[in-house]
Amino acid sequence: MRPRSPRPRATPTALAALTALTLAACSSTDEPDPAPPTPSNRTQAPHPTAGSPEPPAPAPAADGQGPDACTDGNCEITVTKPVTLHFPAPGGGRATLSVTEVGRNKIEYEVKSANGQSKAGASGPGQGCLTHLRENGTGNSCGPLTTTHPTPQPDTVTIQTTTTPTGPGLLRIVSP
């Protein structure tokens, strides 16, 4: 019988690298950022470099431009100027969404309900934000957005805003 060779031991550096890889693999971009954005942590994309194409403008909004399309909590509208919308909040009551600034590759807004408030904004080509309004609070995540529509989630109103290179912002509200 041969004596067993000792097992190789992991070094602290190897363990730290493995932990970092595991945490990165487990992270999810579907969950909102727990900290509401402030001017210091708001996502801002760099300006495109010379020769880089701007993303294509989104297709026309399904419900047009009228804020009245959002009163039921489900809509898709283009926003060309500051506007305030009212819609049902999770758990009852009403929520208010105020688009405070919109322009070429820029959109900023604030959401208020009896259960919390949140501010978010994005600037740069193809940028946007998702706000999840729940009965127990709100959360935001901002950055590059795909053209996919948010899907309804139980007890959650999802607000998606997207910048466009021509000026109007695209706003979607999806309720369960």
Side-chain angles (χ1 to χ4, degrees):
M1 254 168 105
R2 278 189 180 167
R4 288 180 126 180
S5 63
R7 252 177 141 166
R9 292 186 179 213
T11 64
T13 304
L15 288 175
L18 182 59
T19 301
L21 286 172
T22 302
L23 289 174
C26 293
S27 70
S28 170
T29 58
D30 292 339
E31 289 300 316
D33 187 356
T38 64
S40 63
N41 73 359
R42 205 173 268 158
T43 302
Q44 295 205 351
H47 294 285
T49 57
S52 66
E54 293 238 357
D63 295 323
Q65 293 182 336
D68 291 340
C70 298
T71 58
D72 66 352
N74 287 291
C75 65
E76 178 180 300
I77 63 171
T78 55
V79 182
T80 58
K81 60 186 178 187
V83 65
T84 299
L85 312 167
H86 303 280
F87 54 91
R94 303 289 289 168
T96 301
L97 169 72
S98 298
V99 175
T100 56
E101 190 172 343
V102 64
R104 183 178 188 268
N105 290 320
K106 183 172 187 169
I107 190 162
E108 293 188 9
Y109 63 97
E110 181 176 0
V111 181
K112 293 181 183 178
S113 74
N115 302 315
Q117 68 180 27
S118 183
K119 289 184 179 183
S123 63
Q127 300 294 302
C129 296
L130 285 171
T131 297
H132 299 282
L133 182 60
R134 297 180 178 95
E135 190 172 354
N136 61 353
T138 63
N140 295 321
S141 65
C142 297
L145 286 182
T146 64
T147 57
T148 60
H149 298 285
T151 57
Q153 299 177 25
D155 305 317
T156 303
V157 174
T158 302
I159 300 162
Q160 179 186 43
T161 59
T162 308
T163 64
T164 67
T166 58
L170 185 61
L171 170 68
R172 292 182 180 107
I173 299 176
V174 178
S175 296

PDB file of all heavy atoms in Angstrom, residues 91-108:
ATOM      1  N   GLY A  91     -51.259  47.382  -3.793  1.00  0.00           N
ATOM      2  CA  GLY A  91     -51.842  47.439  -2.455  1.00  0.00           C
ATOM      3  C   GLY A  91     -52.968  48.447  -2.328  1.00  0.00           C
ATOM      4  O   GLY A  91     -53.477  48.677  -1.241  1.00  0.00           O
ATOM      5  N   GLY A  92     -53.358  49.078  -3.413  1.00  0.00           N
ATOM      6  CA  GLY A  92     -54.437  50.064  -3.366  1.00  0.00           C
ATOM      7  C   GLY A  92     -53.894  51.477  -3.401  1.00  0.00           C
ATOM      8  O   GLY A  92     -52.707  51.721  -3.249  1.00  0.00           O
ATOM      9  N   GLY A  93     -54.782  52.398  -3.592  1.00  0.00           N
ATOM     10  CA  GLY A  93     -54.377  53.798  -3.690  1.00  0.00           C
ATOM     11  C   GLY A  93     -53.881  54.137  -5.086  1.00  0.00           C
ATOM     12  O   GLY A  93     -53.987  53.340  -6.018  1.00  0.00           O
ATOM     13  N   ARG A  94     -53.345  55.337  -5.202  1.00  0.00           N
ATOM     14  CA  ARG A  94     -52.869  55.825  -6.491  1.00  0.00           C
ATOM     15  C   ARG A  94     -51.380  56.150  -6.400  1.00  0.00           C
ATOM     16  O   ARG A  94     -50.872  56.524  -5.354  1.00  0.00           O
ATOM     17  CB  ARG A  94     -53.619  57.090  -6.910  1.00  0.00           C
ATOM     18  CG  ARG A  94     -55.126  56.953  -6.998  1.00  0.00           C
ATOM     19  CD  ARG A  94     -55.628  56.123  -8.130  1.00  0.00           C
ATOM     20  NE  ARG A  94     -55.452  56.795  -9.417  1.00  0.00           N
ATOM     21  CZ  ARG A  94     -55.609  56.186 -10.576  1.00  0.00           C
ATOM     22  NH1 ARG A  94     -55.956  54.920 -10.623  1.00  0.00           N
ATOM     23  NH2 ARG A  94     -55.444  56.824 -11.697  1.00  0.00           N
ATOM     24  N   ALA A  95     -50.722  56.024  -7.524  1.00  0.00           N
ATOM     25  CA  ALA A  95     -49.322  56.408  -7.654  1.00  0.00           C
ATOM     26  C   ALA A  95     -49.241  57.568  -8.634  1.00  0.00           C
ATOM     27  O   ALA A  95     -50.105  57.724  -9.499  1.00  0.00           O
ATOM     28  CB  ALA A  95     -48.483  55.238  -8.155  1.00  0.00           C
ATOM     29  N   THR A  96     -48.210  58.379  -8.469  1.00  0.00           N
ATOM     30  CA  THR A  96     -47.978  59.509  -9.354  1.00  0.00           C
ATOM     31  C   THR A  96     -46.589  59.379  -9.957  1.00  0.00           C
ATOM     32  O   THR A  96     -45.612  59.177  -9.233  1.00  0.00           O
ATOM     33  CB  THR A  96     -48.076  60.839  -8.577  1.00  0.00           C
ATOM     34  OG1 THR A  96     -49.368  60.928  -7.990  1.00  0.00           O
ATOM     35  CG2 THR A  96     -47.851  62.027  -9.486  1.00  0.00           C
ATOM     36  N   LEU A  97     -46.508  59.492 -11.256  1.00  0.00           N
ATOM     37  CA  LEU A  97     -45.238  59.486 -11.971  1.00  0.00           C
ATOM     38  C   LEU A  97     -45.090  60.849 -12.626  1.00  0.00           C
ATOM     39  O   LEU A  97     -45.945  61.253 -13.419  1.00  0.00           O
ATOM     40  CB  LEU A  97     -45.210  58.394 -13.043  1.00  0.00           C
ATOM     41  CG  LEU A  97     -44.051  58.444 -14.027  1.00  0.00           C
ATOM     42  CD1 LEU A  97     -42.751  58.035 -13.338  1.00  0.00           C
ATOM     43  CD2 LEU A  97     -44.312  57.545 -15.217  1.00  0.00           C
ATOM     44  N   SER A  98     -44.032  61.560 -12.271  1.00  0.00           N
ATOM     45  CA  SER A  98     -43.767  62.868 -12.864  1.00  0.00           C
ATOM     46  C   SER A  98     -42.488  62.794 -13.671  1.00  0.00           C
ATOM     47  O   SER A  98     -41.407  62.580 -13.107  1.00  0.00           O
ATOM     48  CB  SER A  98     -43.625  63.940 -11.781  1.00  0.00           C
ATOM     49  OG  SER A  98     -44.820  64.064 -11.055  1.00  0.00           O
ATOM     50  N   VAL A  99     -42.597  62.927 -14.980  1.00  0.00           N
ATOM     51  CA  VAL A  99     -41.420  63.057 -15.831  1.00  0.00           C
ATOM     52  C   VAL A  99     -40.991  64.505 -15.686  1.00  0.00           C
ATOM     53  O   VAL A  99     -41.744  65.423 -16.022  1.00  0.00           O
ATOM     54  CB  VAL A  99     -41.726  62.694 -17.298  1.00  0.00           C
ATOM     55  CG1 VAL A  99     -40.516  62.943 -18.180  1.00  0.00           C
ATOM     56  CG2 VAL A  99     -42.182  61.246 -17.403  1.00  0.00           C
ATOM     57  N   THR A 100     -39.796  64.724 -15.132  1.00  0.00           N
ATOM     58  CA  THR A 100     -39.341  66.076 -14.823  1.00  0.00           C
ATOM     59  C   THR A 100     -38.463  66.670 -15.914  1.00  0.00           C
ATOM     60  O   THR A 100     -38.352  67.878 -16.027  1.00  0.00           O
ATOM     61  CB  THR A 100     -38.579  66.096 -13.491  1.00  0.00           C
ATOM     62  OG1 THR A 100     -37.501  65.162 -13.565  1.00  0.00           O
ATOM     63  CG2 THR A 100     -39.513  65.732 -12.341  1.00  0.00           C
ATOM     64  N   GLU A 101     -37.810  65.807 -16.701  1.00  0.00           N
ATOM     65  CA  GLU A 101     -36.961  66.300 -17.785  1.00  0.00           C
ATOM     66  C   GLU A 101     -36.893  65.244 -18.876  1.00  0.00           C
ATOM     67  O   GLU A 101     -36.743  64.056 -18.598  1.00  0.00           O
ATOM     68  CB  GLU A 101     -35.559  66.598 -17.263  1.00  0.00           C
ATOM     69  CG  GLU A 101     -34.694  67.336 -18.243  1.00  0.00           C
ATOM     70  CD  GLU A 101     -33.373  67.797 -17.635  1.00  0.00           C
ATOM     71  OE1 GLU A 101     -33.239  67.843 -16.405  1.00  0.00           O
ATOM     72  OE2 GLU A 101     -32.479  68.113 -18.427  1.00  0.00           O
ATOM     73  N   VAL A 102     -37.004  65.687 -20.104  1.00  0.00           N
ATOM     74  CA  VAL A 102     -36.883  64.774 -21.240  1.00  0.00           C
ATOM     75  C   VAL A 102     -36.265  65.553 -22.394  1.00  0.00           C
ATOM     76  O   VAL A 102     -36.561  66.724 -22.589  1.00  0.00           O
ATOM     77  CB  VAL A 102     -38.253  64.155 -21.633  1.00  0.00           C
ATOM     78  CG1 VAL A 102     -39.224  65.200 -22.106  1.00  0.00           C
ATOM     79  CG2 VAL A 102     -38.096  63.066 -22.658  1.00  0.00           C
ATOM     80  N   GLY A 103     -35.364  64.899 -23.088  1.00  0.00           N
ATOM     81  CA  GLY A 103     -34.691  65.529 -24.221  1.00  0.00           C
ATOM     82  C   GLY A 103     -33.900  64.486 -24.984  1.00  0.00           C
ATOM     83  O   GLY A 103     -33.999  63.281 -24.711  1.00  0.00           O
ATOM     84  N   ARG A 104     -33.095  64.954 -25.897  1.00  0.00           N
ATOM     85  CA  ARG A 104     -32.276  64.049 -26.708  1.00  0.00           C
ATOM     86  C   ARG A 104     -31.400  63.207 -25.787  1.00  0.00           C
ATOM     87  O   ARG A 104     -30.566  63.731 -25.050  1.00  0.00           O
ATOM     88  CB  ARG A 104     -31.421  64.862 -27.673  1.00  0.00           C
ATOM     89  CG  ARG A 104     -30.606  64.027 -28.602  1.00  0.00           C
ATOM     90  CD  ARG A 104     -29.820  64.918 -29.572  1.00  0.00           C
ATOM     91  NE  ARG A 104     -29.181  64.114 -30.567  1.00  0.00           N
ATOM     92  CZ  ARG A 104     -27.944  63.639 -30.453  1.00  0.00           C
ATOM     93  NH1 ARG A 104     -27.233  63.916 -29.387  1.00  0.00           N
ATOM     94  NH2 ARG A 104     -27.428  62.902 -31.413  1.00  0.00           N
ATOM     95  N   ASN A 105     -31.625  61.888 -25.792  1.00  0.00           N
ATOM     96  CA  ASN A 105     -30.858  60.930 -24.990  1.00  0.00           C
ATOM     97  C   ASN A 105     -30.881  61.236 -23.493  1.00  0.00           C
ATOM     98  O   ASN A 105     -29.900  60.998 -22.790  1.00  0.00           O
ATOM     99  CB  ASN A 105     -29.413  60.835 -25.488  1.00  0.00           C
ATOM    100  CG  ASN A 105     -29.340  60.162 -26.831  1.00  0.00           C
ATOM    101  OD1 ASN A 105     -30.042  59.187 -27.082  1.00  0.00           O
ATOM    102  ND2 ASN A 105     -28.501  60.678 -27.702  1.00  0.00           N
ATOM    103  N   LYS A 106     -32.014  61.743 -22.992  1.00  0.00           N
ATOM    104  CA  LYS A 106     -32.107  62.036 -21.558  1.00  0.00           C
ATOM    105  C   LYS A 106     -33.545  61.927 -21.087  1.00  0.00           C
ATOM    106  O   LYS A 106     -34.466  62.371 -21.770  1.00  0.00           O
ATOM    107  CB  LYS A 106     -31.587  63.442 -21.266  1.00  0.00           C
ATOM    108  CG  LYS A 106     -31.582  63.784 -19.795  1.00  0.00           C
ATOM    109  CD  LYS A 106     -30.892  65.091 -19.537  1.00  0.00           C
ATOM    110  CE  LYS A 106     -30.769  65.274 -18.036  1.00  0.00           C
ATOM    111  NZ  LYS A 106     -29.903  66.368 -17.687  1.00  0.00           N
ATOM    112  N   ILE A 107     -33.718  61.314 -19.896  1.00  0.00           N
ATOM    113  CA  ILE A 107     -35.038  61.283 -19.265  1.00  0.00           C
ATOM    114  C   ILE A 107     -34.843  61.185 -17.755  1.00  0.00           C
ATOM    115  O   ILE A 107     -33.968  60.467 -17.271  1.00  0.00           O
ATOM    116  CB  ILE A 107     -35.931  60.131 -19.801  1.00  0.00           C
ATOM    117  CG1 ILE A 107     -37.363  60.304 -19.288  1.00  0.00           C
ATOM    118  CG2 ILE A 107     -35.344  58.773 -19.462  1.00  0.00           C
ATOM    119  CD1 ILE A 107     -38.388  59.511 -20.074  1.00  0.00           C
ATOM    120  N   GLU A 108     -35.607  61.964 -17.006  1.00  0.00           N
ATOM    121  CA  GLU A 108     -35.589  61.929 -15.545  1.00  0.00           C
ATOM    122  C   GLU A 108     -37.026  61.946 -15.051  1.00  0.00           C
ATOM    123  O   GLU A 108     -37.885  62.591 -15.650  1.00  0.00           O
ATOM    124  CB  GLU A 108     -34.820  63.123 -14.975  1.00  0.00           C
ATOM    125  CG  GLU A 108     -33.341  63.053 -15.291  1.00  0.00           C
ATOM    126  CD  GLU A 108     -32.537  64.118 -14.577  1.00  0.00           C
ATOM    127  OE1 GLU A 108     -33.069  64.823 -13.697  1.00  0.00           O
ATOM    128  OE2 GLU A 108     -31.344  64.237 -14.910  1.00  0.00           O
TER     129      GLU A 108
END
